[in-house]
Amino acid sequence: AQKITQTQPGMFVQEKEAVTLDCTYDTSDPSYGLFWYKQPSSGEMIFLIYQGSYDQQNATEGRYSLNFQKARKSANLVISASQLGDSAMYFCAMREGGQGNTGKLIFGQGTTLQVKP
Amino acid sequence: EAQVTQNPRYLITVTGKKLTVTCSQNMNHEYMSWYRQDPGLGLRQIYYSMNVEVTDKGDVPEGYKVSRKEKRNFPLILESPSPNQTSLYFCASSNRAKREKLFFGSGTQLSVL
């Protein structure tokens, strides 16, 4: 069965420093997609970045990058130059694909990030 | 404006009183899904729909029903709510491909007394 694990319930980072949020996953499907979403205190879910299992390069979106290590089944989110507005809960998620059903989407438990001034 | 609209934002009800949370999207997305968010558990998928008249169970479907009679709407029905269904609920939609990001509604905070 699919599984997503975020082992860091809460993290602190100093403003302007980089931070890595951990995510490990488990799936038997060779074709899958990995996502990161941000949920600020206002509650909305904001898409940050996507990594496909067959993508040759690690995904990057502005200050966000995904450290994808397929053999280790990890998809850590790296936020560079943290800003106060980055304080939020962050969720890692996985969607299986390829020839299989792409309907099931599972999320990790989330990591709360607090950026200190 | 492309969006997923959920109603209501807040709902307080009593045990056993049937309720429906509506969800509508204006992006012609085939895929729609419902999630509940509980502290320490992240988001858990309740039901999803790959297209009109096609629905399937997620990880926590017990106590919920859904229907997909039209492409744009995907209501969540609680026939007999119980206190353990008190939660924050999100509806989301996307295109079917696994690369497609989800567009989320604003959430519905449900309290069952």
Side-chain angles (χ1 to χ4, degrees), chain A residues 63-77:
Chain A
R63 293 186 299 110
Y64 304 108
S65 60
L66 203 151
N67 183 2
F68 182 47
Q69 298 187 42
K70 197 169 181 177
R72 296 182 60 189
K73 293 190 174 180
S74 74
N76 299 339
L77 177 71

Side-chain angles (χ1 to χ4, degrees), chain A residues 66-96:
Chain A
L66 203 151
N67 183 2
F68 182 47
Q69 298 187 42
K70 197 169 181 177
R72 296 182 60 189
K73 293 190 174 180
S74 74
N76 299 339
L77 177 71
V78 181
I79 306 174
S80 62
S82 298
Q83 302 172 354
L84 295 178
D86 294 334
S87 294
M89 174 141 335
Y90 290 80
F91 291 101
C92 179
M94 178 172 66
R95 187 173 187 179
E96 290 178 341

Side-chain angles (χ1 to χ4, degrees), chain A residues 31 37 39 55 102-103 105, chain B residues 31 37 45 96 98-99 102:
Chain A
S31 178
Y37 287 87
Q39 186 180 43
D55 291 347
T102 58
L105 180 66
Chain B
Y31 176 86
Q37 183 178 1
Q45 192 178 48
R96 284 176 60 126
K98 71 177 187 294
R99 300 188 68 91
L102 289 176

Side-chain angles (χ1 to χ4, degrees), chain A:
Chain A
Q2 311 173 50
K3 189 174 180 182
I4 291 273
T5 303
Q6 294 178 252
T7 57
Q8 307 152 312
M11 289 194 68
F12 291 92
V13 65
Q14 204 66 37
E15 193 179 8
K16 298 181 185 175
E17 292 185 349
V19 63
T20 298
L21 306 184
D22 294 341
C23 173
T24 58
Y25 61 92
D26 189 22
T27 179
S28 56
D29 193 329
S31 178
Y32 51 89
L34 295 156
F35 301 81
W36 278 90
Y37 287 87
K38 172 185 177 181
Q39 186 180 43
S41 57
S42 52
E44 74 264 37
M45 295 289 288
I46 302 167
F47 167 77
L48 295 178
I49 197 166
Y50 169 84
Q51 178 81 46
S53 59
Y54 293 124
D55 291 347
Q56 293 298 311
Q57 293 189 325
N58 286 350
T60 60
E61 291 282 352
R63 293 186 299 110
Y64 304 108
S65 60
L66 203 151
N67 183 2
F68 182 47
Q69 298 187 42
K70 197 169 181 177
R72 296 182 60 189
K73 293 190 174 180
S74 74
N76 299 339
L77 177 71
V78 181
I79 306 174
S80 62
S82 298
Q83 302 172 354
L84 295 178
D86 294 334
S87 294
M89 174 141 335
Y90 290 80
F91 291 101
C92 179
M94 178 172 66
R95 187 173 187 179
E96 290 178 341
Q99 305 213 0
N101 187 317
T102 58
K104 281 216 166 180
L105 180 66
I106 61 166
F107 285 79
Q109 307 94 315
T111 296
T112 300
L113 176 67
Q114 292 199 32
V115 181
K116 293 183 171 181

